[in-house]
Amino acid sequence: MVVMKNYQRIVSVVFIVFGIFAMVAEAGNLYRYRNNEGNLVIDYAVPPEYVANGYEVLSESGRVVDVVEPQVTPENIEFVEAQRNKSKAEAAQQKEDDMLLRTYSEVAELESAMDRKLTQLDREIEIIQSNLAKNKTAMDASRVKAANYQLGGRTIPKALLKNMDGQIQEQRDGEKMLLVRRQEYQDTKVRYLGYLDRLKALKGIKNTEGLKGTVTPEAVIP
């Protein structure tokens, strides 16, 4: 175990030395790396203690010309993993930002898109509720027919029983779909409100400016 730890330390030192040689060879470039606080730093050199964590080589214009991947060791594995996750989150946020700026030139356009989407989902919820109400009425009528057959000492027709089974299944399916649409409505509303906050931030607009009232249909209230 001691031998293995010493070997790992030697390997880490070798990586650092090679990293320093590489930076010297590429003098004139800029380097972008993360410090211990997780902040991005751009400098003309990467401090030796950060070389093993990986860095980017930038041209004088700021273009990425090379990426040195982090060297994972038992000592820095948690840090490297945290930085990878942070980089993924930043990339995802940048992708979302690009989408918002490309799709919506004004905050009002995004607000209108949200209203349209929520109104559409509200209508779908109303249709499902209407179908459920109609099906329940049909179920009640079928139960009355079945009860009359029994009161008269007659056997309930197989066709009626089959029809009742279908109505029960249709009611279950409709109730499940109603829950799905209600959840979709809430998720969509939260997502668009997040888009609105982000778009305003990107455009330097205070969050209290330009926000219209959003659709809150009675249909989605449990």
Side-chain angles (χ1 to χ4, degrees), residues 75-92:
E75 289 77 13
N76 74 349
I77 186 170
E78 292 185 3
F79 177 83
V80 171
E81 188 64 28
Q83 297 313 309
R84 284 177 176 171
N85 292 337
K86 186 172 184 178
S87 296
K88 289 180 180 178
E90 289 175 347

Side-chain angles (χ1 to χ4, degrees), residues 185-202:
Y185 181 97
Q186 296 300 334
D187 291 345
T188 299
K189 182 177 180 180
V190 170
R191 184 171 69 255
Y192 270 89
L193 288 175
Y195 285 165
L196 280 170
D197 287 344
R198 185 59 182 170
L199 185 59
K200 290 176 183 179
L202 292 172

